């Protein structure tokens, strides 16, 4: 348990995962299981062959024992950076949950020359006993380990006992930001190895971009008596036999189609001898780092990536190939072309899928020691401690050896957030020797002393510009290193923290990636929220995060920061990502459109380019453009059809859609969209106010279809539907980017450089609360019935403050329709930012439907609106806000023209004031209710449907882990005005 060693016993040298025709026995299924809270309580005779285990529980293998709904087996734990126990390596607590697993299985008489027992994933330590003999100790939770059990296996019945401890010295190396989930969570397999079998194969498949020629560079591991060995690629007519190890040589294969993420061309290959046939799918490609260019097949790589953990809300890190395939297809639809396997090698089958479907992958070793950073000093960090050297080397060897044949892997990563030091350098040196082709990645090697790619997390774009220039303050790197680093390829291994609503400013990163030569793109943090499905004591289902399982210390909802919610529903940021990072850029410029192909490989003949014109949101023309094939790296400009002048708002949209059905998307899937406004709405003719004067009677004022409260001037009803307000709202339910602040300040480079996870300056939400924006008091200044109009003035201010905002509401009837001209004017003295400046109207509870003419379909904010376009949309009210793991601001859609609520027959038309239209959000809960709930199920029963009409909202930013809202997207205290007409139908 407390050994520094990488494992013990009959360990077999790491090797590739390859299909074979040799026999295997998958031991997945139901095993006997006995849980003990401490190792000393585990049965002393647990491994005895003749033990009667019929009284033990049962468990499915693979699985995690804390996800079986058995409270007495412990619960999942989420801590993030902290270790869940005192840090005193290599020791672990006495309370070390222990699972004893047993299975009996039959082995045939004919069982090969050697028998291996393979574990693909056990967290965190397995002591393996077969037929009463201890055969090995397996460490490295997400790494494969084979044990040679030839001497212990016997024909007929065998008894395997595996004792798993949740905590071990190895836990110190596996401190990733994710759930602690013990158990045998990947397959256990018996491999019957034939005499003279082919033990390992590495078929490097090189592609020369200059000539189009491929070469196979075989590396074969078999005994001398295992020869002759034949390498065959039928499709290329390759059938080459090597008579002995010394004859093994390169095999030129002639012209081949290369492998790329865009066109993942694979060839079936076999490597066989008299005893065994190994089969694999190969992809020809050449990876090079040439100066600051990281190239595949001669072209610079462009990574549009995500970080992906192994995760399922019910089964944790148990792999499900069908579900993962679906997720990869969803990534394809979202223009994602790269994956970093944060922060450990995934299930081996994962790479079969990325090879087949086409992704650039960074395969990351199972190593993180983040908890040693606590004091900022990395004291006792295993990465720099010779006692751990062997374990760290073993980890990278097992990573590289298992996965080395996969064309989709374009870089090896030593791990994540494990500090720097001699062991990391030794790991890199080992990789450089073993695989000189693929560059080594490891973000904490800030100075680039032993890795090939300059990698950073969450910098503001200004720092990226400085890095490319080789100047400026270069966070983390030693002074004088900047110019050297600027000669190398750069990536963001993590950026844009997709926690809750956000992150904003994706387009700014894209601009840097598109323009600065060192930058190759990055990987969003992260693909999916990791909430675990659970229930309240009353039985209400929800997705739990840190703290929901009784953890002693935890990091709350920080485990939910994905582009997808825990249940797999994409958040609007996935569409934003697709829109911003699209590899086919379409730009409309007056009468022409430019199509730029930024793909790595493949022209645009798989796409159709369709245009449509919409007048006031209604289609008046459509057609298809003839766009000649655009080669990668090229662009073409074609003209667009002319258009007739019209009365109204005229928009032209051009979409690049897929021309034919593919597994990842049906024909017609929109790869990218551009929109331009051809004609603006004519300025609204100012309809004169009707000559009707509001009537005050019995505490109420009636005015056309509306009734107002005579004291407050608030609306009470419109055409019989209950309406309350409007009230000024400056508060929004903080997003997690508003309420967390791991970066001190967007502009404070020094603070960013010394970034820890704690905050140095208060978050936006703290500042807003301190300013009292969540507790404005209102005083009615005036409710005046005048000829033809009702004038209402309200003053809003927090307690103890002199700052205030005065809202003036002028109600008139225009051609019988109720009309509001509203303005909000702040006093002097306001500081900082505001979350929003909006009017809040309470409408009847339970409204279900909305139709609007404005932007959509999804929520959009000032720093996140590339996916939004102008049009007519409809949606259920429950679809208008996103069910983020923590309830928060959601659902704002800028630029509202018309909103129609069919159930109460109410229409609201907004007219621009000084060029500004309000955005809207419509939700069953108000900002205060949303603020108070920590989980969606904690929201109270809805008492109204809340409509907010915001002239401006503060941007989103990425401050939960990254830069704050950029200055140009911040909402500074300001005046605002609304012009709204209410229609009753
Ligand atoms: C990074 C880390 C990730 C994750 C992220 C925040 O620093 O590498 O594992 O913790 O921050 O969600």
């Amino acid at each position: 348990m407390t050994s520094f060693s990488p494992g013990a016993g009959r360990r077999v040298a790491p090797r590739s995962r390859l299909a074979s025709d040799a026999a295997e026995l998958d031991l997945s299924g139901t095993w006997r299981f006995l849980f003990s809270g401490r190792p000393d309580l585990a049965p002393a005779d647990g491994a005895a062959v003749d033990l009667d285990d019929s009284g033990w529980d049962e468990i499915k293998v693979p699985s995690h024992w804390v996800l079986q709904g058995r409270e007495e087996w412990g619960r999942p734990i989420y801590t993030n950076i902290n270790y869940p126990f005192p840090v005193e390596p290599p020791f672990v607590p006495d309370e070390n949950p222990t699972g004893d697993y047993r299975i009996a299985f039959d082995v045939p008489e004919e069982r090969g020359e050697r028998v291996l027992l393979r574990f693909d994933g056990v967290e965190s330590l397995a002591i393996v006993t077969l037929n009463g003999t201890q055969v090995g100790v397996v460490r490295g939770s997400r790494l494969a380990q084979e044990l040679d059990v030839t001497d212990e296996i016997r024909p007929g019945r065998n008894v395997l006992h595996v004792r798993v401890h949740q905590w071990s010295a190895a836990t110190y190396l596996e401190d990733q930001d994710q759930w602690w989930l013990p158990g045998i969570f990947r397959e256990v397999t018996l491999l019957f190895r034939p005499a003279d079998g082919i033990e390992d194969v590495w078929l490097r498949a090189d592609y020369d971009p200059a000539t189009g020629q491929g070469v196979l560079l075989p590396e074969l591991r078999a005994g001398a008596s295992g020869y002759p060995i034949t390498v065959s690629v039928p499709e290329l007519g390759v059938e080459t036999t090597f008579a002995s190890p010394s004859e093994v040589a390169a095999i030129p294969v002639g012209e081949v189609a290369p492998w790329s993420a865009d066109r993942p061309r694979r060839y079936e290959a076999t490597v066989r001898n008299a005893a065994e046939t190994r089969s694999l799918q190969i992809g020809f490609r050449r990876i090079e780092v040439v100066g600051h260019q990281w190239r595949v097949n001669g072209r610079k790589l462009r990574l549009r990536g995500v970080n992906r953990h192994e995760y399922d809300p019910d089964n944790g890190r148990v792999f499900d190939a069908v579900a993962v395939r679906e997720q990869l297809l969803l990534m394809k639809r979202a223009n994602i072309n790269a994956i970093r396997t944060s922060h450990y090698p995934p299930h081996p089958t994962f790479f079969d899928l990325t090879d087949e479907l086409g992704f650039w992958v960074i395969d990351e070793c199972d190593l993180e020691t983040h908890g040693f950073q606590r004091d900022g000093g990395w004291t006792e960090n295993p990465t720099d401690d010779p006692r751990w050297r062997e374990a760290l080397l073993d980890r990278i060897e097992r990573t590289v050896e298992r996965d080395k044949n996969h064309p989709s892997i374009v870089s090896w990563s030593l791990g994540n957030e494990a500090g720097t030091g001699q062991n990391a350098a030794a790991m890199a040196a080992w990789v450089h020797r073993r695989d000189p082709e693929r560059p080594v990645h490891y973000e904490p090697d800030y100075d680039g002393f032993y890795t090939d790619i300059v990698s950073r997390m969450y910098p503001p774009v200004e720092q990226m510009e400085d890095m490319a220039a080789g100047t400026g303050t270069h966070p983390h790197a030693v002074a004088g290193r900047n110019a050297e680093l600027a000669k190398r390829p750069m990536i963001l291994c993590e950026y844009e923290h997709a926690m809750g609503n956000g992150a904003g400013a994706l387009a700014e990163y894209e601009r840097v990636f598109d323009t600065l030569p060192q930058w190759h793109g990055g990987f969003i943090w992260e693909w999916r929220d990791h909430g675990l499905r659970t229930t309240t004591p009353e039985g209400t289902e929800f997705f739990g995060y840190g703290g929901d399982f009784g953890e002693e210390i935890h990091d709350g909802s920080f485990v939910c920061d994905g582009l997808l919610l825990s249940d797999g529903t994409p958040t609007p940021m996935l569409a934003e990502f697709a829109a911003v990072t699209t590899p086919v850029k379409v730009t409309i410029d007056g009468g022409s459109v430019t199509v730029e192909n930024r793909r790595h490989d493949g022209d645009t003949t798989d796409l159709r380019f369709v245009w449509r014109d919409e007048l006031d949101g209604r289609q008046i023309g459509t057609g298809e453009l003839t766009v000649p094939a655009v080669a990668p790296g090229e662009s073409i400009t074609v003209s667009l059809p002319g258009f007739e002048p019209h009365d109204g708002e005229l928009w032209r949209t051009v979409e690049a859609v897929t021309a034919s059905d593919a597994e990842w998307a049906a024909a017609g899937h929109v790869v990218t969209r551009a929109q331009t406004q051809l004609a603006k709405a004519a300025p609204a003719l100012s309809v004169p106010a009707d000559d009707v004067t509001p009537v005050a009677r019995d505490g109420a004022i009636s005015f056309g279809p509306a009734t107002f409260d005579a004291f407050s001037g608030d609306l009470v009803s419109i055409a019989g539907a209950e309406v309350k307000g409007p009230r000024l709202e400056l508060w929004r339910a903080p997003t997690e980017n508003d309420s967390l602040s791991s970066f001190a300040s967007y502009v404070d480079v020094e603070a960013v450089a010394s970034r820890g996870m704690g905050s140095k300056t208060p978050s936006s939400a703290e500042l807003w609360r301190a300013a009292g924006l969540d507790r404005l008091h209102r005083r009615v200044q005036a409710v005046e019935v005048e000829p033809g109009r009702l004038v209402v003035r309200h003053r809003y201010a927090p307690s103890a403050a002199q700052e205030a905002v005065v809202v003036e509401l002028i109600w008139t009837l225009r051609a019988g329709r109720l009309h509001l001209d509203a303005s909000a004017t702040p006093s002097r003295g306001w500081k900082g930012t505001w979350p929003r400046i909006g009017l809040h109207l309470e409408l009847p509870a339970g409204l279900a439907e909305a139709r609007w003419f404005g932007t959509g379909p999804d929520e959009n904010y000032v720093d996140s609106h590339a996916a939004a376009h102008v049009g007519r949309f409809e949606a259920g009210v429950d679809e208008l806000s996103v069910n983020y793991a923590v309830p928060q601001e959601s659902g704002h859609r800028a630029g509202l023209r018309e909103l129609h609520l069919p159930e109460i027959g109410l229409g609201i038309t907004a007219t621009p004031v000084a060029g500004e239209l309000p955005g809207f959000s419509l939700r069953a809960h108000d900002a205060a209710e949303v603020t108070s709930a920590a989980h969606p199920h904690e929201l109270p029963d809805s008492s109204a449907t809340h409509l907010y009409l915001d002239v401006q909202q503060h941007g989103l930013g990425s401050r939960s882990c990254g830069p704050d809202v950029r200055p140009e997207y911040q909402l500074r205290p300001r005046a605002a005005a609304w012009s709204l007409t209410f229609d009753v139908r």
Side-chain angles (χ1 to χ4, degrees):
M1 243 177 321
T2 56
S3 161
F4 293 100
S5 104
R10 321 253 168 83
R11 302 168 78 231
V12 176
R15 58 197 185 120
S16 312
R17 175 61 49 88
L18 296 174
S20 164
D21 62 352
E24 295 186 5
L25 180 63
D26 180 359
L27 297 178
S28 300
T30 303
W31 293 37
R32 288 287 177 187
F33 180 73
L34 190 70
F35 175 82
S36 309
R38 294 200 319 253
D40 59 294
L41 301 177
D45 59 351
V49 177
D50 48 10
L51 175 87
D52 176 8
D53 59 16
S54 58
W56 288 25
D57 290 307
E58 290 188 332
I59 196 167
K60 209 168 70 186
V61 169
S63 74
H64 300 280
W65 71 65
V66 292
L67 297 182
Q68 303 309 306
R70 297 278 299 260
E71 287 281 314
E72 66 277 23
W73 292 355
R75 309 180 85 190
I77 298 172
Y78 172 60
T79 52
N80 185 9
I81 296 169
N82 285 312
Y83 289 101
F85 48 69
V87 183
E88 46 157 358
F91 301 104
V92 294
D94 296 341
E95 285 78 31
N96 185 359
T98 297
D100 279 80
Y101 291 76
R102 281 173 65 96
I103 188 170
F105 55 89
D106 285 325
V107 165
E109 196 67 42
E110 182 45 59
R111 54 184 191 281
E113 185 196 44
R114 283 201 313 150
V115 183
L116 308 182
L117 178 61
R118 183 176 67 208
F119 291 87
D120 276 320
V122 184
E123 184 166 324
S124 80
L125 172 136
I127 302 167
V128 184
T129 306
L130 182 62
N131 297 327
T133 305
Q134 187 173 313
V135 290
V137 177
V138 173
R139 298 187 177 85
S141 296
R142 299 109 205 170
L143 298 167
Q145 179 67 73
E146 292 170 335
L147 300 173
D148 190 328
V149 295
T150 314
D151 292 344
E152 288 73 30
I153 205 91
R154 49 187 181 231
R157 186 169 183 274
N158 289 262
V159 176
L160 175 63
H161 171 254
V162 184
R163 174 162 294 173
V164 179
H165 296 298
Q166 173 159 21
W167 313 124
S168 67
T171 305
Y172 286 103
L173 307 180
E174 296 172 5
D175 188 26
Q176 291 93 348
D177 177 4
Q178 60 172 347
W179 295 99
W180 299 100
L181 296 175
I184 305 178
F185 69 96
R186 288 183 189 157
E187 293 83 347
V188 181
T189 315
L190 269 183
L191 310 174
F192 302 101
R193 301 296 307 142
D196 295 325
I198 302 169
E199 294 311 317
D200 198 9
V201 171
W202 189 359
L203 271 194
R204 298 181 210 218
D206 181 51
Y207 173 78
D208 184 343
T211 62
Q213 303 280 310
V215 179
L216 284 175
L217 301 157
E219 184 191 290
L220 309 174
R221 176 141 59 93
S225 53
Y227 284 76
I229 296 180
T230 302
V231 175
S232 136
V233 186
E235 207 185 331
L236 295 170
V238 172
E239 180 81 7
T240 306
T241 301
F242 302 112
S244 69
S246 61
E247 275 188 28
V248 176
I251 311 172
V253 301
E255 223 166 86
V256 288
W259 187 98
S260 72
D262 290 333
R263 291 203 287 189
R265 178 69 161 90
R266 295 186 302 167
Y267 295 87
E268 296 216 5
T270 59
V271 179
R272 62 176 194 275
N273 64 7
E276 180 175 26
T277 300
R278 295 281 194 180
S279 39
L280 64 163
Q281 303 252 14
I282 54 175
F284 291 86
R285 51 118 182 83
R286 180 180 291 178
I287 303 170
E288 298 162 289
V289 173
V290 182
H292 54 55
Q293 274 202 6
W294 178 9
R295 295 182 188 161
V296 177
N297 302 338
R299 296 181 67 89
K300 181 183 171 186
L301 262 188
R302 179 55 207 281
L303 305 167
R304 306 179 174 92
V306 290
N307 280 277
R308 177 189 174 275
H309 267 286
E310 302 255 85
Y311 155 82
D312 174 275
D314 302 301
N315 301 313
R317 287 188 278 279
V318 176
F319 188 77
D320 173 348
V322 174
V324 171
R325 185 182 191 89
E326 282 307 313
Q327 302 263 298
L328 294 175
L329 296 175
L330 175 57
M331 289 186 194
K332 285 256 155 200
R333 289 195 288 280
N335 292 328
I336 291 166
N337 74 352
I339 298 167
R340 172 175 177 235
T341 69
S342 53
H343 297 303
Y344 41 81
H347 189 279
T349 304
F350 178 76
F351 294 111
D352 296 332
L353 297 172
T354 53
D355 288 352
E356 179 200 335
L357 299 171
F359 290 92
W360 310 116
V361 184
I362 298 185
D363 189 359
E364 190 150 278
C365 182
D366 191 358
L367 174 65
E368 175 158 343
T369 63
H370 208 169
F372 286 91
Q373 198 189 11
R374 296 186 53 251
D375 54 357
W378 291 101
T379 312
E380 273 199 283
N381 183 22
T383 309
D384 199 29
D385 178 339
R387 291 176 301 173
W388 293 95
R389 180 186 162 96
E390 206 199 328
L392 267 61
L393 278 169
D394 175 76
R395 281 173 185 254
I396 193 69
E397 288 174 26
R398 286 202 263 158
T399 301
V400 172
E401 295 296 351
R402 191 196 72 173
D403 297 335
K404 58 187 178 286
N405 279 291
H406 291 282
S408 55
I409 298 171
V410 292
S411 167
W412 303 110
S413 176
L414 305 182
N416 183 62
E417 297 188 319
T420 189
Q422 51 182 302
N423 298 336
M427 292 166 84
W430 182 87
V431 182
H432 282 137
R433 272 197 312 276
R434 183 72 182 116
D435 182 5
E437 184 184 15
R438 292 167 171 121
V440 174
H441 168 270
Y442 182 53
E443 183 258 355
D445 178 28
Y446 302 120
D447 301 299
F449 288 154
Y450 49 87
T451 53
D452 307 306
I453 297 167
V454 180
S455 178
R456 294 291 183 271
M457 293 181 184
Y458 312 105
V461 288
E462 284 74 2
Q463 280 175 7
M464 297 166 68
E465 288 162 352
D466 284 353
M467 287 173 70
T471 59
T473 311
H474 192 167
H476 304 300
V478 294
R481 201 68 189 149
N482 304 347
E484 169 58 31
L485 295 179
K487 296 179 192 152
R488 305 194 187 173
M490 298 177 174
I491 66 164
L492 296 182
C493 65
E494 295 178 27
Y495 77 121
E496 289 285 279
H497 200 242
M499 186 178 194
N501 192 349
L506 184 62
E508 276 72 11
Y509 288 94
E510 186 73 359
R511 182 180 50 74
V512 172
F513 295 149
D514 274 353
T515 51
L516 296 180
Q518 292 91 338
W519 287 102
H520 288 66
F523 299 83
I524 297 285
W525 187 267
E526 67 176 305
W527 173 240
R528 187 168 170 180
D529 285 2
H530 300 213
L532 292 175
R533 200 191 307 270
T534 184
T535 51
T536 63
E538 297 74 41
T540 305
E541 187 179 289
F542 71 104
F543 292 95
Y545 49 71
D548 289 333
F549 300 93
E551 293 99 316
E552 185 184 320
I553 50 169
H554 63 83
D555 251 359
S557 60
F558 213 63
V559 76
C560 293
D561 47 12
L563 296 171
L564 268 54
L565 303 178
S566 297
D567 67 1
T569 307
T571 69
M573 196 187 168
L574 186 67
E576 181 72 8
F577 184 87
V580 169
T581 68
T582 174
V584 180
K585 309 253 180 221
V586 172
T587 324
I588 308 174
D589 184 12
S592 63
V593 62
T594 301
V595 176
E596 189 191 350
N597 181 1
R598 283 182 165 267
R599 289 170 172 176
H600 188 268
D601 195 11
D603 64 24
T604 51
T605 45
D606 59 324
L607 301 175
R608 291 168 47 222
F609 295 85
V610 289
W611 63 271
R612 63 171 183 272
D613 286 348
E614 284 163 331
L615 181 66
D616 291 334
R618 296 188 176 88
Q619 187 170 309
I620 55 163
T622 181
E624 188 163 341
L625 301 171
T626 310
V627 179
V630 188
E634 303 290 319
S635 64
I636 277 180
T637 301
V638 298
S639 19
L640 283 163
F643 64 93
E644 302 291 316
H646 284 278
D647 241 6
E649 204 178 329
L650 184 59
W651 286 86
R652 174 163 283 177
T653 307
V654 177
E655 288 175 345
V657 302
T658 54
S660 51
D661 287 341
E663 189 197 354
W664 59 278
H669 165 75
V670 178
V671 172
T672 188
R673 172 187 294 119
Q675 212 186 26
T676 192
Q677 192 167 18
L678 298 177
K680 290 205 185 335
L685 288 181
S686 107
V687 181
D690 299 349
D691 190 11
V692 179
T693 295
V695 179
R697 187 185 308 136
D698 298 337
I701 299 169
S702 47
F703 196 26
T707 313
F708 295 83
D709 179 278
F711 167 71
S712 66
D714 280 335
L715 260 176
V716 174
S717 71
I718 302 180
E722 269 182 49
V723 180
K724 267 197 231 158
R727 286 181 77 103
L728 176 76
E729 185 63 271
L730 299 181
W731 180 250
R732 72 180 182 193
T735 66
E736 284 156 300
N737 286 311
D738 293 335
S739 57
L740 302 173
S741 58
S742 55
F743 266 32
S745 152
Y746 165 71
V747 280
D748 182 350
V749 170
E750 213 176 294
V752 173
S754 61
R755 168 174 93 90
M757 296 306 285
S759 91
K760 288 199 175 149
T761 58
S763 68
S764 296
E766 285 168 86
L767 294 170
W768 296 336
R769 280 199 175 91
L773 302 182
D774 58 337
R775 49 181 173 80
L776 296 181
H777 291 270
R778 185 176 86 170
R779 184 172 64 77
V780 179
Q781 287 185 324
V783 177
E784 288 158 2
V785 171
E786 294 177 7
R789 61 187 210 164
L790 172 67
V791 177
V792 178
R793 256 187 312 278
H794 294 146
R795 181 182 187 277
Y796 293 84
S799 292
Q802 286 175 306
E803 297 77 41
V805 180
V806 171
V807 172
E808 186 176 62
L809 307 163
I810 299 173
W811 296 95
T812 48
L813 294 182
R814 293 176 189 242
R817 296 151 85 203
L818 183 67
H819 182 86
L820 171 65
D821 284 304
S823 64
T825 312
S827 68
R828 47 181 296 180
W830 286 99
K831 292 192 186 66
T833 61
W834 282 349
R836 70 177 352 145
I837 179 158
L839 292 180
H840 174 198
L841 280 158
E842 287 181 45
L843 306 173
L847 295 189
E849 288 169 57
R851 297 182 200 141
W852 72 100
F853 174 30
T855 63
D858 292 335
E859 65 188 11
N860 55 81
Y861 293 79
V862 59
D863 55 354
S864 176
H865 59 79
H869 57 282
V870 174
R872 287 188 183 269
F873 304 92
E874 50 182 88
V877 171
D878 58 349
E879 297 164 332
L880 286 175
S881 48
V882 180
N883 213 15
Y884 292 115
V886 175
Q888 56 195 279
E889 160 61 30
S890 172
H892 177 75
R893 285 163 173 83
L896 179 71
R897 282 84 168 158
E898 292 168 29
L899 174 67
H900 185 57
L901 304 169
E903 290 140 299
I904 51 170
L906 183 66
I908 300 176
T909 307
T911 318
V913 186
E916 282 187 313
L917 284 167
F920 84 103
S921 47
L922 191 64
R923 194 170 183 173
H925 296 96
D926 68 14
E929 290 170 326
V930 176
T931 305
S932 308
H935 299 86
H937 69 269
E938 292 167 19
L939 287 164
D941 288 343
S942 168
S943 57
T945 307
H946 299 273
L947 172 65
Y948 290 90
L949 296 164
D950 298 317
V951 167
Q952 193 181 337
Q953 276 227 12
H954 190 61
L956 297 174
S958 183
R959 202 177 178 195
S960 57
C961 187
D964 201 352
V965 177
R966 295 182 61 82
E968 60 270 34
Y969 302 133
Q970 296 181 359
L971 166 52
R972 296 281 168 182
R974 54 161 284 188
W978 298 253
S979 172
L980 306 168
T981 306
F982 297 78
D983 251 319
V984 190
R985 278 169 240 162

